Amino acid sequence: TGRVLLITLNNVASDWEVDDERLDPFKNIISQRIDSIVGSEIEQPVLVSVRPNYIRNGESLSQVLSDIVHKEAITYDLCRPIISKKIIGKDQILPTIQVEIDGAMIYDYYTQEEVWDTSSVMVFDDFVDNSLRERLLDVVNGRDEEYSWNDKTHGPDPKRWIRGGLMDTLNDNEDVPTCWGLSEEATHELCFEEHSAIAE
């Protein structure tokens, strides 16, 4: 079931329910404390559940914890699948090419040491068809029926892309040209609005 912390508050009023809002301060204080030590004292986040006057009534602890996880998943819509199409055959989801493009020493908060880490590009053939690929590109570029900017001729649309929106240099050398990146508005729209192409 993962990491779950089940806390029982005894000797509280009998009218307190499992979902009682009066339990929120207890849960929030404990959750904030746990979040502050993730990566240093503990490696994984912990799901906190606070229950008033809790008695198991013959339930196994494993079942109780499973129910807590399931309820959390339902409450925050964590059970909705990301991919709606069923992929059959393991060979269809294996990358055709995997290339490491750069590497650097980074600080690992779990081991408290510097480790060598690399960025890589993976290529999947026939993972999406041309129609979906084009619609995904439309989403990224913010193209609709009234869109007239030709990025093949004129380069990145300045209403969508900005110079310096992506910084991938190892220092602040101004002589090194900066990369194009999505504007803040475009990034917000891409991440927080619904797009049928992404859902597919």
Side-chain angles (χ1 to χ4, degrees):
T1 58
R3 298 173 182 269
V4 180
L5 176 61
L6 174 59
I7 299 174
T8 300
L9 294 181
N10 296 322
N11 301 318
V12 296
S14 59
D15 64 336
W16 286 39
E17 302 292 338
V18 173
D19 297 323
D20 201 300
E21 293 182 355
R22 289 172 288 185
L23 294 172
D24 289 345
F26 300 97
K27 182 176 180 180
N28 292 339
I29 291 173
I30 297 169
S31 296
Q32 290 172 7
R33 173 56 183 158
I34 291 176
D35 289 345
S36 69
I37 62 176
V38 171
S40 56
E41 299 179 35
I42 59 175
E43 295 185 5
Q44 299 284 345
V46 176
L47 175 58
V48 178
S49 177
V50 180
R51 298 195 174 191
N53 301 314
Y54 177 63
I55 301 176
R56 266 200 279 164
N57 294 325
E59 296 176 293
S60 68
L61 182 58
S62 176
Q63 183 60 50
V64 172
L65 299 180
S66 294
D67 290 343
I68 292 173
V69 173
H70 181 71
K71 181 179 181 301
E72 192 83 0
I74 295 298
T75 300
Y76 294 100
D77 197 21
L78 303 178
C79 294
R80 183 173 45 150
I82 297 176
I83 300 176
S84 58
K85 289 186 176 180
K86 184 177 181 182
I87 300 175
I88 302 175
K90 292 183 178 179
D91 58 324
Q92 296 184 33
I93 59 174
L94 293 176
T96 306
I97 302 174
Q98 181 173 351
V99 182
E100 294 183 349
I101 57 176
D102 60 13
M105 296 298 295
I106 66 168
Y107 183 75
D108 189 325
Y109 289 95
Y110 298 136
T111 63
Q112 307 293 312
E113 298 176 352
E114 284 195 340
V115 296
W116 176 255
D117 189 32
T118 59
S119 298
S120 60
V121 172
M122 291 190 292
V123 178
F124 294 86
D125 286 339
D126 301 323
F127 192 71
V128 298
D129 56 25
N130 288 333
S131 173
L132 178 55
R133 185 181 295 111
E134 188 68 24
R135 285 185 286 125
L136 288 170
L137 187 59
D138 288 343
V139 172
V140 174
N141 284 322
R143 296 189 301 212
D144 53 26
E145 295 179 355
E146 300 178 357
Y147 190 84
S148 60
W149 184 270
N150 189 332
D151 54 2
K152 295 180 181 178
T153 304
H154 305 298
D157 184 353
K159 294 181 180 179
R160 186 79 173 176
W161 301 85
I162 57 174
R163 263 296 188 189
L166 173 64
M167 302 297 293
D168 63 350
T169 57
L170 298 178
N171 51 48
D172 296 328
N173 188 351
E174 296 181 356
D175 296 332
V176 178
T178 57
C179 296
W180 289 90
L182 286 171
S183 66
E184 182 178 351
E185 294 79 7
T187 302
H188 188 278
E189 179 259 324
L190 187 65
C191 295
F192 298 106
E193 294 186 15
E194 292 189 5
H195 304 280
S196 59
I198 294 178
E200 183 178 343

